[in-house]
Amino acid sequence: LDAAAVPPLPGATLEEATTDLPLRNQYWTAGGGEDVALLISGGVDSSVALHLLQQAGHRVRAFYLRVWLADELAAISDCPWEEDWAFASSVCDRLGVPLEAVSVQDEYWDRVVTYLVDEARSGRTPNPDVMCNSRIKFGVFLDQVGGSFSRVASGHYAR
């Protein structure tokens, strides 16, 4: 999958779609030129966030979090991580940003999947996305890698 073949808006390139966007988020504009770790998912939101951070003059390094499933269990689920990785790689290559995969599969299992199962067994509706954001993206990743950067951002959040 090539990022150039899938523009964020019909008929527009990533650059055209983001050229006139005002940078109102304090984390993207404060202290331009900072080193920023961007969590890229292979989706439009994080791809646009990457471009906006570059436009603001930040030095960006992209990270793709491998959360699900462990390689030996991958056959039991149809998770399109290969497609997400290919798109994230293509976007990063196009923008000249280094990309690294970080495996947090064990932590995801312990801190998100276990929560999801426990909540469902208790008759409650779990929200794994909230747990992933707080326990993985701005938990494990921030502790293990993010502390080496001035800021950590994703397509939806910045810290």
Side-chain angles (χ1 to χ4, degrees), residues 1-4 85-95 99:
L1 186 61
D2 180 38
W85 172 258
F87 190 81
S89 295
S90 181
V91 168
C92 289
D93 286 346
R94 185 169 176 206
L95 296 176
L99 173 63

Side-chain angles (χ1 to χ4, degrees), residues 2-158:
D2 180 38
V6 187
L9 297 174
T13 65
L14 182 63
E15 291 81 8
E16 292 168 339
T18 59
T19 297
D20 296 324
L21 290 176
L23 296 176
R24 293 193 178 126
N25 184 318
Q26 65 171 327
Y27 297 108
W28 290 356
T29 58
E34 293 180 307
D35 292 321
V36 178
L38 175 83
L39 297 168
I40 191 164
S41 64
V44 172
D45 294 340
S46 59
S47 299
V48 170
L50 172 58
H51 183 68
L52 291 173
L53 287 164
Q54 276 193 318
Q55 278 187 327
H58 297 294
R59 293 174 302 278
V60 183
R61 182 172 184 92
F63 294 90
Y64 177 86
L65 298 182
R66 290 198 56 200
V67 294
W68 189 258
L69 290 161
D71 294 333
E72 58 275 4
L73 300 176
I76 67 170
S77 175
D78 185 27
C79 179
W81 76 264
E82 291 99 343
E83 183 178 316
D84 293 340
W85 172 258
F87 190 81
S89 295
S90 181
V91 168
C92 289
D93 286 346
R94 185 169 176 206
L95 296 176
V97 171
L99 173 63
E100 181 179 335
V102 177
S103 178
V104 290
Q105 293 162 318
D106 292 338
E107 294 88 346
Y108 187 81
W109 182 269
D110 293 341
R111 299 177 190 191
V112 178
V113 175
T114 301
Y115 151 82
L116 183 139
V117 171
D118 290 346
E119 289 297 294
R121 282 185 179 152
S122 297
R124 294 184 290 269
T125 303
N127 191 335
D129 291 339
V130 168
M131 293 300 127
C132 184
N133 288 332
S134 65
R135 296 178 178 181
I136 303 299
K137 292 178 184 176
F138 294 101
V140 173
F141 178 79
L142 189 61
D143 293 343
Q144 291 180 0
V145 178
S148 300
F149 294 84
S150 299
R151 306 277 183 192
V152 174
S154 71
H156 303 125
Y157 305 98

